[in-house]
Amino acid sequence: MGIYLNPSADGFASIMKTGDYVDKTGLITYMNAVLNSSRNMLCSSRPRRFGKSYAAQMLSAFYSKGADAGELFAHLRVANPPEETKEKEWYNKYRNNCDVLFWDMAWFISNAQNIEDTILNLQRDIGKELREAFPDCVTEEVVSLPEILLTISVKTGHKFLIIIDEWDALFREAPENTELQKTYIQLLRALFKGIQVSRFLCGAYMTGILPIKKYGTQSALTDFTEFTMLEPGPLAPYVGFTEDEVKKLCTGHHMDYEEMRRWYDGYYFDEIGHVYNPNSVIKAVFCGKYSNYWTQTETYESLRIYIDLNFDGLKECLVDMLGGKRCRVDIGSFQNDMTSMKSRDDVLTLLVHLGYLGYDADNKEVYIPNEEIREEFIRAIKNGRRQELVKAIQLSDRLLKATINLHY
């Protein structure tokens, strides 16, 4: 049991103790199916407080040799498939039987004296732990993490499952430091791309807010299968809470489902239908009150920055959406970072990834998903530099009230 190599199940155990855990272990079943295959690298991006770290801790608890998680999973879906199928065989084969490397990029950034040292510290600290666990395999002279893993695998036959939480933290915390970003991408390419990788890697799972950085039209890590707020694919059920899951929580806690829906529904995936912000739903259940819990995870300052960008058509689009309309968007030019935005469409696409907008894939339209997010937009606009936008919103509200009054 280590810090990064084969950690314990303590993180997931603490999640389970809350008593309101919504079973998302179907993600483990999906991961089991792709381990040791050509589709064994997944990147799942979604907004803050949409369960990214919970998913990473769940996977680590299930696979890590340093954990004993049988009791934690015994009553959950992954351990109880509807019938004796391959799923049960995978459960018995992989549970606490993989060499897991699990790290949080935000942790390394927070603990570095200078953010430029982040990659160096990461390889040093994880490399040290690997040398201690496999003392006869790697000398002190080998400092490259991919080379350490390859050497261990060649000598022992061990393969590793790498789980990275907040993979994109460097792109968010050092958005202008392109040299550091390139160094980081080079490390990830060495870990996840090339003919040698299959010798030491049985699988990879990364979480983040942003999809994998693009250079031009191509992903920096082309071997990953990506699941995003734009295209969640088969991981759609594990992004947020589904309608049935929220109804069950409301029934169990005697809360009004329709009010819950008004506040926190609005995201929608073709694969599963309505999707709710899980953090806000759980906070509402815990507090017994419907309110804006988004402000506890994001500040309107971050939203205001993008609203204040003076791209043609952005003002009109925001006014329309605050009035309940939708805006058409082209998501293709977005480079999956926070600094390369060149158009209204890039800003709107980023806001989908940040959770401020919902996305209708069929009609290629964006919209404000619910009351909670609408409040954030209004707060950001009123405190922004775009006074003409404030006046437009006030006029829109007056027209809306006048229209309503005509019907009564």
Side-chain angles (χ1 to χ4, degrees):
M1 185 189 304
I3 299 174
Y4 311 108
L5 174 64
N6 291 327
S8 72
D10 290 352
F12 186 61
S14 66
I15 295 168
M16 295 288 290
K17 284 182 180 178
T18 63
D20 284 313
Y21 175 70
V22 175
D23 191 338
K24 296 293 183 179
T25 57
L27 175 61
I28 297 173
T29 300
Y30 184 89
M31 196 74 191
N32 286 342
V34 300
L35 283 184
N36 294 301
S37 76
S38 60
R39 297 181 291 110
N40 65 344
M41 294 183 235
L42 313 181
C43 182
S44 177
S45 58
R46 56 186 107 155
R48 281 191 175 93
R49 298 302 186 262
F50 264 68
K52 296 185 303 297
S53 296
Y54 282 13
Q57 291 181 71
M58 176 186 72
L59 291 175
S60 177
F62 180 80
Y63 290 108
S64 171
K65 287 181 178 178
D68 184 6
E71 290 187 10
L72 286 176
F73 290 98
H75 67 287
L76 298 177
R77 189 176 304 135
V78 67
N80 301 281
E83 55 188 51
E84 289 296 323
T85 61
K86 197 75 174 177
E87 294 178 15
K88 190 68 175 181
E89 180 183 334
W90 289 333
Y91 176 83
N92 293 324
K93 177 181 179 180
Y94 290 124
R95 183 178 59 79
N96 299 134
N97 199 33
C98 294
D99 283 303
V100 171
L101 275 179
F102 177 30
W103 70 83
D104 176 0
M105 281 304 302
W107 164 267
F108 280 103
I109 292 171
S110 299
N111 286 280
Q113 275 194 320
N114 299 300
I115 197 167
E116 289 80 7
D117 297 330
T118 301
I119 305 305
L120 179 66
N121 294 349
L122 185 155
Q123 296 196 86
R124 179 198 65 203
D125 294 351
I126 297 176
K128 178 182 178 183
E129 200 164 303
L130 285 165
R131 287 191 190 90
E132 291 172 351
F134 301 94
D136 300 323
C137 294
V138 189
T139 64
E140 293 289 336
E141 289 72 27
V142 182
V143 296
S144 163
L145 180 56
E147 190 174 351
I148 291 172
L149 293 174
L150 178 60
T151 303
I152 291 171
S153 183
V154 168
K155 291 186 178 181
T156 66
H158 287 244
K159 286 190 174 185
F160 297 86
L161 171 61
I162 298 179
I163 302 172
I164 305 176
D165 195 14
E166 302 282 4
W167 88 269
D168 59 330
L170 269 179
F171 287 91
R172 293 185 276 111
E173 297 295 331
E176 305 293 342
N177 194 332
T178 55
E179 287 303 312
L180 179 60
Q181 293 172 16
K182 287 179 181 178
T183 300
Y184 180 42
I185 288 293
Q186 287 173 351
L187 172 62
L188 294 180
R189 280 176 171 158
L191 283 170
F192 302 125
K193 191 172 181 63
I195 59 174
Q196 300 287 9
V197 169
S198 62
R199 301 182 69 179
F200 65 79
L201 189 74
C202 68
Y205 182 88
M206 300 198 307
T207 78
I209 295 174
L210 296 174
I212 294 172
K213 167 69 178 167
K214 287 197 295 186
Y215 293 100
T217 60
Q218 189 171 22
S219 168
L221 300 171
T222 54
D223 290 338
F224 270 83
T225 303
E226 292 199 65
F227 305 98
T228 72
M229 293 298 284
L230 300 170
E231 297 179 350
L235 297 196
Y238 318 119
V239 172
F241 287 169
T242 66
E243 197 167 41
D244 287 343
E245 289 166 346
V246 174
K247 285 180 177 178
K248 184 176 180 181
L249 283 169
C250 287
T251 299
H253 292 271
H254 308 290
M255 299 190 74
D256 182 354
Y257 168 72
E258 287 302 319
E259 191 67 5
M260 188 77 80
R261 181 188 60 78
R262 186 177 76 87
W263 272 93
Y264 310 119
D265 185 16
Y267 306 95
Y268 188 90
F269 300 144
D270 287 342
E271 295 84 353
I272 59 167
H274 294 267
V275 175
Y276 291 67
N277 178 336
N279 179 72
S280 296
V281 170
I282 290 297
K283 287 285 180 63
V285 167
F286 179 77
C287 298
K289 178 183 178 183
Y290 305 102
S291 185
N292 186 339
Y293 298 105
W294 191 274
T295 54
Q296 298 176 19
T297 62
E298 289 274 8
T299 67
Y300 68 80
E301 293 289 341
S302 60
L303 178 58
R304 192 183 72 182
I305 291 170
Y306 302 111
I307 292 175
D308 285 340
L309 291 172
N310 193 23
F311 289 123
D312 289 342
L314 183 59
K315 178 185 75 172
E316 292 79 6
C317 184
L318 291 175
V319 172
D320 285 346
M321 288 191 292
L322 282 166
K325 295 183 180 179
R326 297 184 173 205
C327 291
R328 194 165 177 83
V329 63
D330 178 5
I331 64 174
S333 64
F334 184 58
Q335 294 296 294
N336 297 347
D337 63 32
M338 293 183 167
T339 58
S340 301
M341 286 167 290
K342 299 177 181 178
S343 68
R344 182 202 77 162
D345 288 339
D346 288 344
V347 174
L348 296 177
T349 304
L350 173 61
L351 294 179
V352 173
H353 290 299
L354 294 177
Y356 286 111
L357 294 177
Y359 179 64
D360 180 342
D362 290 335
N363 296 306
K364 295 180 171 51
E365 294 175 334
V366 292
Y367 56 92
I368 295 175
N370 53 46
E371 180 62 25
E372 185 178 43
I373 302 301
R374 189 175 188 276
E375 285 189 1
E376 286 301 292
F377 268 97
I378 292 173
R379 184 178 292 110
I381 288 167
K382 286 181 176 178
N383 290 277
R385 296 193 301 268
R386 306 287 299 278
Q387 290 305 306
E388 80 281 8
L389 187 53
V390 176
K391 292 177 182 177
I393 295 300
Q394 291 171 342
L395 176 60
S396 176
D397 283 345
R398 287 198 295 269
L399 288 172
L400 179 61
K401 288 177 182 177
T403 303
I404 291 172
N405 289 336
L406 286 175
H407 293 280
Y408 290 91

